[in-house]
Coordinates of all heavy atoms in Angstrom, one line a residue:
M1 N -9.3 -19.6 -5.4 CA -8.7 -18.5 -6.0 C -7.6 -17.9 -5.0 O -8.0 -17.6 -3.9 CB -9.7 -17.4 -6.4 CG -9.1 -16.1 -6.9 SD -10.4 -14.9 -7.4 CE -11.3 -15.8 -8.6
P2 N -6.4 -17.7 -5.4 CA -5.4 -17.1 -4.5 C -5.7 -15.7 -4.1 O -6.2 -14.9 -4.9 CB -4.0 -17.2 -5.4 CG -4.4 -18.0 -6.5 CD -5.9 -18.0 -6.7
K3 N -5.3 -15.3 -2.9 CA -5.4 -14.0 -2.4 C -4.4 -13.2 -3.2 O -3.3 -13.6 -3.7 CB -5.2 -13.9 -1.0 CG -6.4 -14.7 -0.2 CD -6.3 -14.5 1.2 CE -7.5 -15.2 1.8 NZ -8.0 -14.6 3.0
G4 N -4.6 -11.9 -3.1 CA -3.6 -10.9 -3.6 C -3.1 -10.0 -2.5 O -3.9 -9.6 -1.6
Y5 N -1.9 -9.7 -2.6 CA -1.2 -8.7 -1.6 C -0.6 -7.6 -2.2 O 0.2 -7.8 -3.2 CB -0.2 -9.6 -0.8 CG -0.9 -10.7 0.0 CD1 -1.1 -12.0 -0.6 CD2 -1.3 -10.5 1.3 CE1 -1.7 -13.0 0.0 CE2 -1.9 -11.5 2.0 CZ -2.2 -12.8 1.3 OH -2.7 -13.9 2.0
V6 N -0.9 -6.5 -1.8 CA -0.2 -5.2 -2.2 C 0.9 -5.0 -1.1 O 0.5 -4.9 0.1 CB -1.0 -3.9 -2.2 CG1 -0.2 -2.7 -2.5 CG2 -2.1 -4.2 -3.4
I7 N 2.1 -5.0 -1.5 CA 3.3 -4.8 -0.6 C 4.0 -3.5 -0.9 O 4.3 -3.3 -2.1 CB 4.2 -6.0 -0.5 CG1 3.4 -7.3 -0.3 CG2 5.4 -5.8 0.4 CD1 4.2 -8.5 -0.4
A8 N 4.2 -2.7 0.1 CA 4.9 -1.4 -0.1 C 6.0 -1.3 0.9 O 5.9 -1.6 2.1 CB 3.9 -0.2 0.1
R9 N 7.1 -0.7 0.4 CA 8.2 -0.4 1.3 C 8.5 1.0 1.0 O 8.6 1.5 -0.1 CB 9.5 -1.2 0.9 CG 9.3 -2.7 1.2 CD 10.5 -3.5 0.7 NE 11.5 -2.8 -0.2 CZ 12.7 -2.4 0.4 NH1 13.1 -2.8 1.6 NH2 13.6 -1.9 -0.5
V10 N 8.4 1.9 2.1 CA 8.4 3.4 1.9 C 9.4 4.1 2.9 O 9.5 3.8 4.1 CB 7.0 3.9 2.3 CG1 6.9 5.4 2.1 CG2 6.0 3.1 1.5
T11 N 10.0 5.1 2.3 CA 10.8 6.1 3.2 C 10.0 7.4 3.0 O 10.0 8.0 1.9 CB 12.2 6.2 2.6 OG1 12.9 4.9 2.8 CG2 12.9 7.2 3.5
V12 N 9.4 7.8 4.1 CA 8.6 9.1 4.0 C 9.6 10.2 4.2 O 10.4 10.3 5.0 CB 7.6 9.1 5.2 CG1 6.8 10.5 5.2 CG2 6.6 7.9 5.1
T13 N 9.4 11.1 3.2 CA 10.3 12.4 3.2 C 9.4 13.7 3.5 O 10.1 14.7 3.8 CB 10.9 12.6 1.8 OG1 9.9 12.6 0.8 CG2 11.9 11.4 1.6
N14 N 8.2 13.7 3.4 CA 7.2 14.8 3.8 C 6.1 14.1 4.6 O 5.1 13.7 4.0 CB 6.8 15.5 2.5 CG 5.8 16.6 2.9 OD1 5.3 16.7 3.9 ND2 5.9 17.6 2.0
P15 N 6.2 14.1 5.9 CA 5.2 13.5 6.8 C 3.8 14.1 6.6 O 2.9 13.3 6.7 CB 5.8 13.6 8.2 CG 7.3 13.8 8.1 CD 7.4 14.5 6.7
E16 N 3.7 15.3 6.5 CA 2.4 16.1 6.4 C 1.7 15.6 5.0 O 0.5 15.2 5.1 CB 2.5 17.5 6.4 CG 3.1 18.1 7.7 CD 4.6 18.0 7.9 OE1 5.3 17.9 6.9 OE2 5.0 18.0 9.0
A17 N 2.4 15.6 4.0 CA 1.8 15.2 2.7 C 1.5 13.7 2.7 O 0.4 13.3 2.2 CB 2.7 15.5 1.5
Y18 N 2.4 12.9 3.4 CA 2.1 11.5 3.3 C 0.9 11.1 4.2 O 0.2 10.2 3.8 CB 3.4 10.8 3.9 CG 3.4 9.3 3.7 CD1 3.7 8.7 2.5 CD2 2.8 8.5 4.6 CE1 3.6 7.3 2.2 CE2 2.7 7.0 4.5 CZ 3.2 6.5 3.2 OH 3.0 5.1 3.1
A19 N 0.8 11.9 5.3 CA -0.5 11.7 6.1 C -1.8 11.9 5.3 O -2.8 11.2 5.6 CB -0.4 12.6 7.3
E20 N -1.7 12.9 4.4 CA -3.0 13.2 3.6 C -3.1 12.0 2.7 O -4.3 11.6 2.4 CB -2.8 14.4 2.8 CG -2.9 15.7 3.7 CD -4.2 15.7 4.4 OE1 -5.3 15.5 3.8 OE2 -4.2 15.9 5.7
Y21 N -2.1 11.4 2.1 CA -2.2 10.2 1.3 C -2.7 9.1 1.9 O -3.7 8.4 1.5 CB -0.8 9.9 0.7 CG -0.6 8.4 0.4 CD1 -1.2 7.9 -0.8 CD2 0.1 7.6 1.3 CE1 -1.1 6.5 -1.0 CE2 0.2 6.2 1.0 CZ -0.5 5.7 -0.2 OH -0.4 4.3 -0.4
A22 N -2.2 8.9 3.2 CA -2.7 7.8 4.0 C -4.2 7.8 4.4 O -4.8 6.7 4.3 CB -1.9 7.7 5.3
K23 N -4.8 8.9 4.5 CA -6.2 9.0 4.8 C -7.0 8.6 3.6 O -7.9 7.8 3.8 CB -6.6 10.6 5.1 CG -6.1 11.0 6.4 CD -6.7 12.5 6.5 CE -5.9 13.3 7.6 NZ -6.3 14.7 7.5
G24 N -6.6 9.0 2.4 CA -7.3 8.6 1.2 C -7.1 7.2 0.9 O -8.0 6.5 0.4
A25 N -5.8 6.7 1.1 CA -5.6 5.3 0.8 C -6.3 4.4 1.7 O -6.8 3.3 1.3 CB -4.1 5.0 1.0
T26 N -6.4 4.8 3.0 CA -7.2 4.0 4.0 C -8.6 3.9 3.6 O -9.2 2.8 3.7 CB -7.1 4.6 5.4 OG1 -5.7 4.6 5.8 CG2 -7.9 3.8 6.4
E27 N -9.2 4.9 3.1 CA -10.7 4.8 2.6 C -10.8 3.9 1.5 O -11.7 3.1 1.3 CB -11.1 6.2 2.3 CG -11.4 7.1 3.6 CD -12.4 6.3 4.5 OE1 -13.4 5.9 4.1 OE2 -12.1 6.3 5.7
A28 N -9.8 4.0 0.5 CA -9.9 3.2 -0.7 C -9.7 1.7 -0.4 O -10.3 0.9 -0.9 CB -8.8 3.7 -1.7
I29 N -8.8 1.4 0.6 CA -8.6 0.1 1.0 C -9.9 -0.5 1.5 O -10.2 -1.6 1.1 CB -7.5 0.0 2.1 CG1 -6.1 0.3 1.5 CG2 -7.5 -1.4 2.8 CD1 -5.1 0.6 2.6
R30 N -10.6 0.2 2.4 CA -11.9 -0.2 2.9 C -12.8 -0.4 1.8 O -13.6 -1.5 1.7 CB -12.4 0.8 4.0 CG -11.9 0.6 5.3 CD -12.6 1.4 6.3 NE -11.6 1.9 7.4 CZ -11.4 3.1 7.7 NH1 -12.0 4.1 7.2 NH2 -10.4 3.4 8.6
Q31 N -13.0 0.6 0.9 CA -14.0 0.5 -0.2 C -13.7 -0.7 -1.0 O -14.7 -1.3 -1.6 CB -13.9 1.8 -1.0 CG -14.9 1.8 -2.1 CD -14.8 3.2 -2.8 OE1 -14.3 4.1 -2.4 NE2 -15.6 3.2 -3.9
Y32 N -12.5 -1.1 -1.2 CA -12.2 -2.2 -2.2 C -12.0 -3.5 -1.4 O -11.5 -4.5 -2.1 CB -11.0 -1.9 -3.2 CG -11.5 -0.9 -4.1 CD1 -11.5 0.5 -3.9 CD2 -12.2 -1.3 -5.3 CE1 -12.1 1.5 -4.7 CE2 -12.7 -0.3 -6.2 CZ -12.6 1.0 -6.0 OH -13.1 1.9 -6.8
G33 N -12.3 -3.7 -0.2 CA -12.2 -4.9 0.5 C -10.9 -5.3 1.0 O -10.7 -6.5 1.3
G34 N -9.9 -4.4 1.1 CA -8.6 -4.7 1.6 C -8.5 -4.8 3.1 O -9.3 -4.3 3.8
R35 N -7.7 -5.7 3.6 CA -7.4 -5.9 5.0 C -5.9 -5.6 5.3 O -5.0 -6.4 4.8 CB -7.7 -7.2 5.4 CG -9.2 -7.5 5.4 CD -9.6 -8.9 5.5 NE -9.0 -9.8 4.5 CZ -9.5 -10.0 3.3 NH1 -10.5 -9.2 2.8 NH2 -8.9 -10.8 2.4
P36 N -5.6 -4.4 5.9 CA -4.1 -4.2 6.2 C -3.7 -5.2 7.2 O -4.3 -5.4 8.4 CB -4.2 -2.8 6.9 CG -5.4 -2.2 6.5 CD -6.4 -3.4 6.3
L37 N -2.6 -5.9 6.9 CA -2.0 -6.9 7.9 C -0.8 -6.3 8.4 O -0.5 -6.6 9.6 CB -1.5 -8.1 7.0 CG -2.6 -8.9 6.3 CD1 -2.0 -10.1 5.5 CD2 -3.7 -9.3 7.2
V38 N -0.1 -5.3 7.8 CA 1.1 -4.7 8.3 C 1.0 -3.2 7.9 O 0.8 -3.0 6.7 CB 2.4 -5.3 7.8 CG1 3.6 -4.4 8.2 CG2 2.5 -6.7 8.1
R39 N 1.2 -2.2 8.8 CA 1.2 -0.9 8.5 C 2.2 -0.2 9.4 O 1.7 0.2 10.5 CB -0.2 -0.3 8.6 CG -1.1 -0.5 7.4 CD -2.3 0.3 7.6 NE -2.5 1.3 6.4 CZ -3.4 2.0 6.2 NH1 -4.6 1.9 6.9 NH2 -3.4 2.9 5.3
G40 N 3.4 0.0 9.0 CA 4.4 0.5 9.8 C 4.9 -0.5 10.9 O 4.9 -1.7 10.7
G41 N 5.1 0.0 12.1 CA 5.6 -0.9 13.1 C 7.1 -1.1 13.1 O 7.9 -0.6 12.3
A42 N 7.5 -1.8 14.1 CA 9.0 -2.1 14.3 C 9.4 -3.0 13.1 O 8.7 -3.8 12.6 CB 9.3 -2.7 15.6
Y43 N 10.7 -2.8 12.7 CA 11.2 -3.7 11.6 C 12.7 -3.8 11.9 O 13.3 -3.2 12.6 CB 11.0 -2.9 10.3 CG 11.8 -1.7 10.1 CD1 13.1 -1.7 9.4 CD2 11.4 -0.5 10.6 CE1 13.8 -0.6 9.3 CE2 12.2 0.7 10.5 CZ 13.4 0.6 9.9 OH 14.1 1.8 9.8
E44 N 13.2 -4.9 11.3 CA 14.6 -5.2 11.3 C 15.1 -5.6 9.9 O 14.5 -6.5 9.3 CB 14.9 -6.4 12.2 CG 16.2 -6.9 12.4 CD 16.3 -8.1 13.3 OE1 15.4 -8.4 14.1 OE2 17.5 -8.6 13.4
A45 N 16.2 -5.0 9.4 CA 16.8 -5.3 8.2 C 17.6 -6.6 8.4 O 18.6 -6.7 9.1 CB 17.7 -4.2 7.6
L46 N 17.1 -7.7 7.7 CA 17.9 -9.0 7.8 C 18.9 -9.0 6.5 O 20.0 -9.7 6.7 CB 16.9 -10.1 7.7 CG 16.0 -10.1 8.9 CD1 14.9 -11.3 8.7 CD2 16.7 -10.2 10.2
E47 N 18.5 -8.6 5.4 CA 19.4 -8.4 4.2 C 19.0 -7.3 3.4 O 17.8 -7.0 3.3 CB 19.3 -9.7 3.4 CG 19.9 -10.9 4.0 CD 19.9 -12.2 3.0 OE1 20.1 -11.9 1.8 OE2 19.6 -13.2 3.5
G48 N 19.9 -6.6 2.7 CA 19.6 -5.5 1.8 C 19.2 -4.3 2.5 O 19.2 -4.1 3.8
E49 N 18.8 -3.3 1.8 CA 18.3 -2.0 2.3 C 16.9 -2.1 2.8 O 15.9 -2.6 2.2 CB 18.3 -1.0 1.1 CG 17.9 0.4 1.5 CD 17.8 1.4 0.3 OE1 18.3 1.0 -0.8 OE2 17.2 2.5 0.5
A50 N 16.7 -1.6 4.0 CA 15.4 -1.5 4.6 C 14.8 -0.2 4.4 O 15.4 0.9 4.2 CB 15.5 -1.9 6.2
R51 N 13.5 -0.1 4.5 CA 12.8 1.2 4.6 C 12.1 1.2 5.9 O 11.6 0.1 6.4 CB 11.9 1.3 3.4 CG 12.6 1.3 2.1 CD 11.8 2.1 1.0 NE 12.6 2.0 -0.3 CZ 13.4 3.0 -0.6 NH1 13.6 4.1 0.2 NH2 14.0 3.0 -1.8
A52 N 11.8 2.4 6.4 CA 11.2 2.6 7.7 C 9.7 2.2 7.7 O 9.2 1.8 8.9 CB 11.4 4.0 8.2
R53 N 9.0 2.3 6.6 CA 7.5 2.0 6.7 C 7.3 0.9 5.7 O 7.7 0.8 4.5 CB 6.8 3.2 6.2 CG 5.3 3.0 6.2 CD 4.5 4.2 6.3 NE 3.1 4.1 6.4 CZ 2.4 3.7 7.4 NH1 3.0 3.6 8.6 NH2 1.1 3.5 7.5
N54 N 6.7 -0.2 6.2 CA 6.4 -1.4 5.4 C 5.0 -1.7 5.6 O 4.4 -1.6 6.7 CB 7.2 -2.6 6.0 CG 8.7 -2.3 5.8 OD1 9.3 -2.4 4.7 ND2 9.4 -1.9 6.9
V55 N 4.3 -2.0 4.4 CA 2.9 -2.2 4.5 C 2.5 -3.5 3.7 O 3.1 -3.7 2.6 CB 2.1 -1.0 3.8 CG1 0.7 -1.1 3.7 CG2 2.4 0.3 4.5
V56 N 1.6 -4.2 4.2 CA 1.1 -5.4 3.5 C -0.5 -5.3 3.6 O -1.0 -5.4 4.7 CB 1.6 -6.8 4.0 CG1 1.0 -8.0 3.3 CG2 3.2 -6.8 4.0
I57 N -1.1 -5.3 2.4 CA -2.6 -5.4 2.4 C -3.0 -6.5 1.7 O -2.6 -6.8 0.6 CB -3.1 -4.0 1.7 CG1 -2.5 -2.8 2.4 CG2 -4.6 -4.0 1.8 CD1 -2.6 -1.6 1.5
E58 N -3.9 -7.3 2.3 CA -4.5 -8.5 1.8 C -5.8 -8.3 1.1 O -6.7 -7.5 1.6 CB -4.7 -9.6 2.9 CG -5.3 -10.9 2.4 CD -5.5 -11.8 3.5 OE1 -6.4 -11.5 4.3 OE2 -4.8 -12.8 3.6
F59 N -6.0 -8.8 0.0 CA -7.3 -8.8 -0.8 C -7.7 -10.2 -1.2 O -6.8 -11.1 -1.2 CB -7.1 -8.0 -2.1 CG -6.9 -6.5 -1.9 CD1 -5.6 -6.0 -1.7 CD2 -8.0 -5.6 -1.9 CE1 -5.4 -4.7 -1.5 CE2 -7.7 -4.2 -1.7 CZ -6.5 -3.8 -1.4
D60 N -9.0 -10.5 -1.4 CA -9.5 -11.8 -1.6 C -9.0 -12.4 -2.9 O -8.9 -13.6 -3.1 CB -11.0 -11.8 -1.6 CG -11.6 -11.7 -0.2 OD1 -10.9 -12.0 0.8 OD2 -12.8 -11.2 -0.2
S61 N -8.4 -11.6 -3.9 CA -7.9 -12.0 -5.1 C -6.9 -11.0 -5.6 O -6.9 -9.8 -5.3 CB -9.0 -12.2 -6.1 OG -9.5 -11.0 -6.6
V62 N -6.1 -11.5 -6.6 CA -5.2 -10.5 -7.3 C -5.9 -9.5 -8.1 O -5.6 -8.3 -8.0 CB -4.2 -11.4 -8.2 CG1 -3.4 -10.4 -9.1 CG2 -3.3 -12.2 -7.4
E63 N -7.0 -9.9 -8.7 CA -7.8 -8.9 -9.5 C -8.3 -7.9 -8.6 O -8.5 -6.7 -8.9 CB -8.9 -9.7 -10.3 CG -9.7 -8.7 -11.2 CD -8.7 -8.0 -12.2 OE1 -7.7 -8.8 -12.8 OE2 -8.9 -6.8 -12.5
Q64 N -8.9 -8.2 -7.4 CA -9.4 -7.2 -6.4 C -8.3 -6.3 -6.0 O -8.5 -5.0 -6.0 CB -10.0 -8.0 -5.3 CG -10.7 -7.1 -4.3 CD -11.3 -7.8 -3.1 OE1 -11.1 -8.9 -2.9 NE2 -12.1 -7.1 -2.3
A65 N -7.1 -6.8 -5.8 CA -6.0 -5.9 -5.4 C -5.7 -4.9 -6.6 O -5.4 -3.8 -6.3 CB -4.8 -6.7 -5.0
R66 N -5.7 -5.4 -7.8 CA -5.4 -4.6 -9.0 C -6.4 -3.6 -9.1 O -6.1 -2.4 -9.4 CB -5.2 -5.5 -10.1 CG -4.8 -4.8 -11.4 CD -4.6 -5.8 -12.6 NE -3.5 -6.7 -12.4 CZ -3.6 -8.0 -12.3 NH1 -4.8 -8.6 -12.3 NH2 -2.6 -8.8 -12.1
T67 N -7.7 -4.0 -8.9 CA -8.8 -3.0 -9.1 C -8.7 -1.9 -8.1 O -8.8 -0.8 -8.4 CB -10.2 -3.7 -8.9 OG1 -10.2 -4.7 -9.9 CG2 -11.3 -2.8 -9.0
Y68 N -8.3 -2.2 -6.8 CA -8.1 -1.2 -5.8 C -6.9 -0.3 -6.2 O -7.1 1.0 -6.2 CB -7.6 -1.9 -4.5 CG -6.7 -1.1 -3.6 CD1 -7.2 0.0 -2.9 CD2 -5.3 -1.4 -3.6 CE1 -6.4 0.8 -2.1 CE2 -4.5 -0.6 -2.9 CZ -5.0 0.5 -2.1 OH -4.2 1.2 -1.4
Y69 N -5.8 -0.8 -6.6 CA -4.7 0.0 -7.0 C -5.0 1.1 -8.1 O -4.6 2.2 -8.1 CB -3.4 -0.8 -7.3 CG -2.2 0.1 -7.6 CD1 -1.5 0.5 -6.5 CD2 -1.9 0.5 -8.8 CE1 -0.4 1.4 -6.8 CE2 -0.9 1.3 -9.1 CZ -0.1 1.8 -8.0 OH 0.9 2.6 -8.3
H70 N -5.7 0.5 -9.1 CA -6.0 1.4 -10.3 C -7.2 2.1 -10.2 O -7.7 2.9 -11.1 CB -6.0 0.5 -11.6 CG -4.8 -0.1 -11.9 ND1 -3.7 0.7 -12.3 CD2 -4.2 -1.3 -11.8 CE1 -2.6 -0.1 -12.5 NE2 -2.9 -1.3 -12.2
S71 N -7.9 2.0 -9.0 CA -9.2 2.7 -8.8 C -9.1 4.3 -8.7 O -7.9 4.8 -8.4 CB -9.9 2.4 -7.5 OG -9.2 2.8 -6.4
P72 N -10.1 5.0 -9.2 CA -10.0 6.5 -9.1 C -9.7 6.9 -7.6 O -9.0 7.9 -7.4 CB -11.3 7.0 -9.6 CG -12.0 5.8 -10.3 CD -11.4 4.5 -9.7
E73 N -10.3 6.3 -6.6 CA -10.1 6.6 -5.2 C -8.7 6.5 -4.8 O -8.1 7.4 -4.2 CB -11.1 5.9 -4.3 CG -12.6 6.0 -4.6 CD -13.1 5.3 -5.8 OE1 -12.3 4.4 -6.4 OE2 -14.3 5.4 -6.0
Y74 N -8.0 5.4 -5.1 CA -6.7 5.2 -4.7 C -5.7 6.1 -5.5 O -4.9 6.7 -5.0 CB -6.2 3.8 -4.9 CG -4.7 3.7 -4.4 CD1 -4.5 3.8 -3.0 CD2 -3.7 3.5 -5.3 CE1 -3.1 3.8 -2.6 CE2 -2.4 3.6 -5.0 CZ -2.1 3.7 -3.6 OH -0.8 3.7 -3.1
Q75 N -6.0 6.2 -6.8 CA -5.2 7.1 -7.6 C -5.2 8.6 -7.2 O -4.2 9.3 -7.2 CB -5.5 7.0 -9.2 CG -5.2 5.7 -9.7 CD -3.6 5.4 -9.6 OE1 -2.8 6.1 -10.1 NE2 -3.3 4.2 -9.0
A76 N -6.4 9.0 -6.7 CA -6.5 10.4 -6.2 C -5.6 10.4 -4.8 O -4.9 11.5 -4.7 CB -7.9 10.8 -5.8
A77 N -5.6 9.5 -4.0 CA -4.8 9.4 -2.8 C -3.3 9.3 -3.2 O -2.4 10.1 -2.7 CB -5.2 8.2 -2.0
K78 N -3.0 8.5 -4.2 CA -1.6 8.4 -4.7 C -1.0 9.7 -5.1 O 0.2 10.0 -4.9 CB -1.6 7.4 -5.8 CG -0.2 7.1 -6.3 CD -0.3 6.0 -7.4 CE 1.0 5.8 -8.1 NZ 1.5 7.0 -8.9
A79 N -1.8 10.5 -5.8 CA -1.4 11.9 -6.2 C -0.8 12.7 -5.1 O 0.2 13.5 -5.2 CB -2.4 12.6 -7.0
K80 N -1.4 12.5 -3.9 CA -1.0 13.2 -2.7 C 0.4 12.8 -2.1 O 1.0 13.5 -1.4 CB -2.0 13.2 -1.6 CG -3.3 13.9 -2.1 CD -4.4 13.7 -1.0 CE -5.7 14.4 -1.5 NZ -6.8 14.2 -0.5
R81 N 0.8 11.6 -2.5 CA 2.0 11.1 -2.0 C 3.2 11.4 -2.9 O 4.4 11.3 -2.6 CB 2.1 9.7 -1.6 CG 2.1 8.7 -2.6 CD 2.3 7.3 -2.0 NE 1.9 6.2 -3.1 CZ 2.6 5.8 -3.9 NH1 3.9 6.2 -4.2 NH2 2.2 4.8 -4.7
D82 N 2.9 11.8 -4.1 CA 4.0 12.2 -5.1 C 4.9 13.3 -4.4 O 4.4 14.3 -3.9 CB 3.4 12.7 -6.4 CG 2.8 11.6 -7.2 OD1 3.0 10.4 -6.9 OD2 2.0 12.0 -8.1
G83 N 6.1 13.0 -4.4 CA 7.2 13.9 -3.8 C 7.2 13.8 -2.3 O 8.0 14.5 -1.6
A84 N 6.4 13.0 -1.6 CA 6.4 12.9 -0.2 C 7.1 11.6 0.3 O 7.2 11.4 1.5 CB 4.9 12.9 0.3
C85 N 7.6 10.8 -0.6 CA 8.2 9.6 -0.3 C 9.0 8.9 -1.3 O 8.9 9.3 -2.5 CB 7.2 8.5 0.3 SG 6.0 8.0 -1.0
V86 N 9.8 8.0 -1.0 CA 10.4 7.0 -1.9 C 9.8 5.7 -1.6 O 9.9 5.3 -0.5 CB 12.0 7.1 -1.7 CG1 12.7 6.1 -2.6 CG2 12.5 8.5 -1.9
A87 N 9.3 5.1 -2.6 CA 8.6 3.8 -2.4 C 8.7 2.8 -3.4 O 8.8 3.2 -4.6 CB 7.1 4.1 -2.1
E88 N 8.5 1.5 -3.1 CA 8.3 0.5 -4.0 C 6.9 -0.2 -3.7 O 6.7 -0.4 -2.5 CB 9.4 -0.6 -4.0 CG 10.7 -0.1 -4.4 CD 11.6 0.3 -3.1 OE1 11.4 -0.2 -2.1 OE2 12.4 1.2 -3.3
F89 N 6.0 -0.4 -4.6 CA 4.8 -1.1 -4.4 C 4.8 -2.4 -5.4 O 5.2 -2.2 -6.6 CB 3.7 -0.2 -4.9 CG 3.3 0.7 -3.8 CD1 4.1 1.8 -3.5 CD2 2.1 0.6 -3.1 CE1 3.7 2.8 -2.5 CE2 1.8 1.6 -2.1 CZ 2.6 2.6 -1.9
V90 N 4.5 -3.5 -4.8 CA 4.3 -4.7 -5.7 C 3.0 -5.4 -5.4 O 2.5 -5.2 -4.2 CB 5.5 -5.7 -5.5 CG1 6.8 -5.1 -6.0 CG2 5.6 -6.2 -4.1
L91 N 2.5 -6.1 -6.4 CA 1.3 -6.9 -6.2 C 1.7 -8.3 -6.3 O 2.4 -8.7 -7.3 CB 0.3 -6.6 -7.3 CG -0.9 -7.5 -7.5 CD1 -1.7 -7.5 -6.1 CD2 -1.9 -7.0 -8.6
V92 N 1.4 -9.1 -5.3 CA 1.9 -10.5 -5.2 C 0.7 -11.4 -5.0 O -0.2 -11.1 -4.3 CB 2.9 -10.7 -4.0 CG1 3.4 -12.1 -3.9 CG2 4.0 -9.7 -4.1
E93 N 0.7 -12.5 -5.8 CA -0.3 -13.6 -5.7 C 0.1 -14.4 -4.5 O 1.3 -14.8 -4.3 CB -0.3 -14.4 -6.9 CG -1.3 -15.5 -6.9 CD -1.3 -16.3 -8.2 OE1 -1.2 -15.8 -9.3 OE2 -1.5 -17.5 -8.1
G94 N -0.9 -14.7 -3.6 CA -0.7 -15.5 -2.5 C -0.6 -16.9 -2.8 O -1.0 -17.4 -3.9
A95 N -0.1 -17.8 -1.9 CA 0.1 -19.2 -2.0 C -1.3 -19.9 -1.8 O -2.1 -19.5 -1.1 CB 1.1 -19.8 -1.2

């Protein structure tokens, strides 16, 4: 079964509110078996628009990643980042 990856590209506009989101998201990631592979760090734009925060979270399956994202725990955390950032989140099936 292919792994599932949640990939986020984020520009934080309210660091305090985003930090509250990150606490809840981190707990939900652990609870649903996710493994952060990338969380912030140095980046370089090779093509197109870059965002300062890049995140890649690995799950054992696409379904597990989907369950995490739609879970009550993650959705509660997500509500804390509303208005605190501009972001794109995608779910990608691994090779």
Side-chain angles (χ1 to χ4, degrees):
M1 176 178 301
K3 294 188 180 209
Y5 296 87
V6 173
I7 301 172
R9 298 176 349 107
V10 182
T11 300
V12 176
T13 57
N14 181 333
E16 294 81 20
Y18 193 85
E20 288 303 310
Y21 154 75
K23 286 183 204 173
T26 297
E27 288 305 313
I29 290 166
R30 278 192 212 125
Q31 183 175 349
Y32 288 90
R35 292 169 298 284
L37 302 179
V38 175
R39 280 188 115 170
Y43 68 96
E44 177 182 350
L46 299 176
E47 290 187 35
E49 180 183 348
R51 296 206 181 269
R53 184 157 182 81
N54 299 282
V55 178
V56 178
I57 305 165
E58 180 182 67
F59 291 87
D60 287 338
S61 68
V62 170
E63 189 55 42
Q64 185 179 7
R66 189 177 292 116
T67 298
Y68 150 77
Y69 183 83
H70 293 290
S71 71
E73 296 83 3
Y74 181 73
Q75 291 301 306
K78 180 180 174 289
K80 294 178 182 177
R81 77 170 160 83
D82 288 346
C85 66
V86 176
E88 295 94 29
F89 280 70
V90 296
L91 172 55
V92 179
E93 182 179 324

